[in-house]
Amino acid sequence: MGRAEHRAGRGDDDPNGIRRSLLRDAVFARLLDNVLRGVYRRGQRIRLDAIAEDMRVSRTPVREALMPLENLRLVSVQRYVGVVVAHWTVDHMTERIRIARTMITEPSSGSACCADRFDVAWVRDCKTEGGVFVELGSWWLRRNGAAVSADWLLSQHAVLDAFFSDEVALANGIDAVVARRERRSIAERATVAAERDALDECAAALVELADALIALPHRFRTAA
C-alpha cells in the first residue's frame, strides 16, 4: 500500500494485540504475492473463510485487505461466490506503466503546483525499480499540479513494486535480473534530479525508466 494509505490507517488493535492496520497490511502483502506468483490461479474461486483459516486470522483483516486488491483489479469479491482471482496478464502490468508514462509526458494541470521537496526516504523501502518509478513519478506529478494523477499512480505502488521483483517476475516468465544495473542507474539519475528539484531532468529519466520497465517482459523472457 502507498504512503497515503498508511497515513490514513486507524491503528485499531485486534484481540491478539496486533495493530489492526499492520495485520491488514500483512494479509494484503501475502494475498498480493499469492496472486502475482500464481499460487492463486487466474479465475480461481476461493472462500473468504478458507483464506482466513489459511492465514490464521479472522475474516475482518482479510476483507479489509481484499478492498485494495479489488481496486487494483486483481480480484473481485462476489456475494455467494467468494473471492474470484482476475484473469490479469503481464500486459496489464505494463499497461499501468504506460499510463503513468503518458501522465508524465502529457501532464494535466488540474490543481496548483505543489512546492513539496522530494524526500529520498520515500524510495529507500522500495524493493524494485517499479516501486521507485511510482514514488518518483507520483511526486513529480504532484509537483506539476496533477494531484489526481499522482494519487492514482501512488495507489499502484504495491503491485508494481512486487511485480518486478525476481521471484514474481520469474513466476511470470521474466528474467528481471538481466539489465537490472541499467534500470537502477536510470532510477538513480531520476532520484538525484528529484533531490535537486530538476523537474525536466527527472521527467526525462522517468520516461527512460518507464520504457525499460515496459520492454522488460518482451526482451528478457525466460526459457520457461
Side-chain angles (χ1 to χ4, degrees), residues 156-177:
Q156 305 299 307
H157 181 276
V159 64
L160 291 177
D161 198 30
F163 182 75
F164 289 99
S165 65
D166 293 350
E167 297 82 4
V168 172
L170 190 61
N172 288 280
I174 303 166
D175 189 351
V177 176

